[in-house]
Amino acid sequence: MTNPSSTQDLQLLTLDINGERHEVITESRRTLVDVLRHDLHLTGTHVGCEHGICGACTVLVDGRPARACLMFAAQAEGAEIRTVESLGGSGGELADLQEAFRDHHALQCGFCTPGFLMLAEGFLTERPEATKEEIRDVVAANLCRCTGYQTIVEAIDACATARRTACAQGRKETTGCN
Ligand code: FES
Ligand code: FES
């Protein structure tokens, strides 16, 4: 009988997560979200459906939003991974996007929030000039049972507007302007 905990299937992975290098010994078919949450204790990334539908597990892979429940951790080797823990400051300060969510009441239970934050962070980095309609389309990729989405759209739009204003005023260091 095969021992399910056999070490034959284990492999050593080196992952770049939030700017830090992590070495993890794990099964070859373990998902990225399980490695993040259970092996590295980065529990800000949530798990809902585990089937790629809800988006609660969204992280950035080389700057692009990706469902961490649909990736094997091994597939993330060599990529830069960012989780929601990367958004705020080391002293617990909120990022501008997180402040916008708070200010616009874009969360209620908060279960979906890490996924929406990383979805928005990736999208606004790629398209800082996004219109509200474009934001509405992007937000439709993830599920929220509480808010009705409008406040999430408002929050992301407010953050995008504030970043554009800061860039126009030359405050490039805090906004990632081109
Ligand atoms: S938990 Fe990954 S998409 Fe739902
Ligand atoms: S705030 Fe509850 S699921 Fe979105």
Side-chain angles (χ1 to χ4, degrees), residues 46-57 67-70:
H46 289 173
V47 186
C49 64
E50 293 187 88
H51 284 88
I53 306 295
C54 72
C57 64
R67 311 290 213 216
C69 73
L70 293 185

Side-chain angles (χ1 to χ4, degrees), residues 97-98 100-110 112-113 116-117 144 146-147 149-156:
L97 184 59
Q98 292 169 309
F101 268 59
R102 179 198 62 200
D103 294 346
H104 289 80
H105 308 289
L107 62 149
Q108 290 180 27
C109 78
C112 67
T113 309
F116 275 102
L117 286 168
C144 174
C146 305
T147 64
Y149 298 91
Q150 184 60 29
T151 55
I152 296 174
V153 173
E154 298 292 345
I156 298 170

Side-chain angles (χ1 to χ4, degrees), residues 19-30:
E20 288 183 22
R21 183 181 140 120
H22 295 268
E23 292 192 339
V24 186
I25 297 173
T26 190
E27 296 96 350
S28 57
R29 295 179 64 80
R30 193 159 169 83

